[in-house]
Amino acid sequence: MTAKELVKLAYEAQTRSYSPYSGFATGAALEAADGRIFLGCNVENAAYSPTNCAERTAFFKAVSEGARSFVRIAVVGNRPNEAGNYCPPCGVCRQVMREFCDPEQFEILLAKSPQDYKVLLLKDLLPESFGPENLEEV
Ligand code: THU
């Protein structure tokens, strides 16, 4: 799977967004180390706070299917007719990534079009982070 193909899958996931309240549709495509791809979209709720972001939907689908090791995730998000901006993951999603991914290795592909994306490392989006190692017994 190329980075471009992963970005394309994030746009496919975005078409299934359930976002009647914000009108901001997001999509994510998560590549596991074993090659499996998990798609996610945002799923909003009338009570607002139960809303799940596209990235977490993809991660929770993956983890619930047994994947524990990940290579990269592509993320897209925009309102209709407002394409062309990057959609950086929210803080909660960054922390969920931190649970399962090596901050030095895990790549986050932010796309503003299927052809135009940039690649960031988790360590740069979540510096000095708290993770599973911090709770290891000494
Ligand atoms: N959202 C995501 O799905 N991912 C992000 O990285 C940022 C925000 C969703 C949550 C909500 O449904 C909508 O976008 C507006 O915040």
Side-chain angles (χ1 to χ4, degrees), residues 17-84:
S17 164
Y18 177 73
S19 44
Y21 305 106
S22 72
F24 191 85
T26 60
L30 174 63
E31 183 177 6
D34 63 11
R36 281 185 290 171
I37 307 292
F38 297 91
L39 302 186
C41 63
N42 55 339
V43 183
E44 297 189 344
N45 190 281
Y48 289 18
S49 63
T51 291
N52 210 55
C53 292
E55 299 92 318
R56 273 177 291 141
T57 301
F59 265 91
F60 294 157
K61 283 174 67 180
V63 172
S64 65
E65 294 295 329
R68 290 288 186 280
S69 178
F70 302 98
V71 179
R72 55 190 169 173
I73 189 169
V75 184
V76 303
N78 58 270
R79 286 205 169 86
N81 309 320
E82 273 183 15

Side-chain angles (χ1 to χ4, degrees), residues 84-98:
N85 291 320
Y86 296 119
C87 176
C90 79
V92 173
C93 289
R94 293 177 195 202
Q95 187 64 36
V96 168
M97 292 173 193
R98 176 68 178 84

Side-chain angles (χ1 to χ4, degrees), residues 102-106 108 120-128:
D102 178 350
E104 306 272 339
Q105 302 282 333
F106 187 68
I108 297 151
L120 302 165
L121 286 173
L122 180 56
K123 70 169 179 187
D124 296 319
L125 289 185
L126 195 67
E128 301 291 338

